[in-house]
Amino acid sequence: MTESFIIIEPDPIVVMDIEGLLTAQFPRARIAAGASLADIGPAVDGCGPETTFVVKGSIVADDDDLRRVVAGAAVRKSRIVVIGGPFEFDFAATFIELPFSSDMMLAVMTQDRPPAS
């Protein structure tokens, strides 16, 4: 099963940092990134346990459509990583407080996952 990541973050520098970290750790992973739900489009279709959503908490908190999509992904056993917070959501999520380090992000991404091969 190929690891898949969906990043929703408005700051392009943060997106580049996260993409670089994920590409180094998971070289065969599929990565979709954008500033909003509209930007990541079809990447959310069919996501499941192989998918990790990395989303900025304030965007999820303010966007009902995005919150529904992320909640649906959580039901399908996708991992949800929320940057910032904590926020009250009706789905399971791991929160990474701001500011976060690469080590913090990597620890969350590799937790309970087999090592990349």
Side-chain angles (χ1 to χ4, degrees), residues 1-82:
M1 174 174 6
T2 302
E3 195 82 20
S4 174
F5 297 92
I6 298 173
I7 305 165
I8 303 175
E9 163 62 57
D11 185 329
I13 302 300
V14 174
V15 171
M16 286 182 0
D17 287 346
I18 295 171
E19 282 180 317
L21 178 69
L22 295 174
T23 300
Q25 184 67 29
F26 305 96
R28 293 188 205 125
R30 293 184 318 254
I31 301 172
S36 68
L37 180 58
D39 293 336
I40 51 110
V44 299
D45 295 337
C47 60
E50 75 286 352
T51 304
T52 299
F53 274 79
V54 181
V55 295
K56 183 155 189 168
S58 59
I59 293 174
V60 177
D62 293 340
D63 185 329
D64 291 339
D65 291 333
L66 178 57
R67 193 169 42 259
R68 277 191 291 277
V69 166
V70 173
V75 167
R76 292 188 306 275
K77 305 297 184 204
S78 294
R79 178 181 294 211
I80 311 301
V81 177
V82 177

